[in-house]
Every structure is written in C-alpha cells, then in structure tokens.
C-alpha cells in the first residue's frame, strides 16, 4: 500500500459488468454504509477476499485431520 500522503501509481485498469439487479444491490450497500469512494471500496474488498483465501489455502506440514487428533 502507498504511504500516507503519497498517491499510489495505479496504471492498470480492471473493468467488469453487472446486471441491473447486481448494480442495485451494490448501490444499496454503498448507500447504507455511506461509502462514497466506490472504486477504493471495490479494490479493497476484492484484495481482502483474495488475501483471506490465500491465507486459508496456505500449505501446512500436516493436514487438518492430523492436527485435530
């Protein structure tokens, strides 16, 4: 992440399409939680989801069944 006071140099864009129903769902969420920067919210939400999944899938020495014994 960029340090406070420095602007991140984002040069790669990612585009997606939503149905009207999906966009309404997103807009209602943003309005409910008073989120004004949709782009930042989308980026942080996506990266948080990816980071959480990578942590969950991190290889371990033993599988879960062996650790619960």
């Amino acid at each position: 992440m960029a340090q406070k006071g420095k602007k991140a140099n984002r040069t790669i864009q990612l585009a997606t399409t939503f149905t009207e129903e999906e966009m309404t769902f997103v807009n209602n969420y943003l309005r409910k939680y008073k989120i004004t920067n949709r782009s930042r919210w989308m980026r942080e939400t996506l990266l948080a989801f990816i980071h959480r999944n990578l942590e969950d899938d991190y290889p371990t020495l033993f599988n879960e069944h062996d650790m619960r014994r």
Side-chain angles (χ1 to χ4, degrees):
M1 289 287 174
Q3 293 177 357
K4 196 171 189 173
K6 288 188 176 183
K7 188 174 180 179
N9 186 15
R10 294 188 181 92
T11 58
I12 300 172
Q13 294 184 359
L14 178 67
T16 187
T17 56
F18 292 103
T19 64
E20 286 187 33
E21 183 181 9
E22 292 167 336
M23 199 64 223
T24 301
F25 185 67
V26 169
N27 286 333
N28 288 339
Y29 181 90
L30 297 174
R31 193 175 315 110
K32 177 179 179 179
Y33 293 102
K34 298 177 182 165
I35 298 168
T36 56
N37 190 333
R38 184 173 59 190
S39 179
R40 180 173 137 199
W41 171 78
M42 193 84 63
R43 185 175 52 257
E44 289 175 355
T45 302
L46 176 65
L47 293 175
F49 178 82
I50 292 170
H51 187 259
R52 186 170 43 251
N53 281 347
L54 287 175
E55 281 186 345
D56 292 344
D57 294 341
Y58 191 79
T60 59
L61 186 57
F62 303 102
N63 64 32
E64 185 177 348
H65 177 73
D66 292 337
M67 291 190 294
R68 292 188 183 273
R69 286 184 174 185

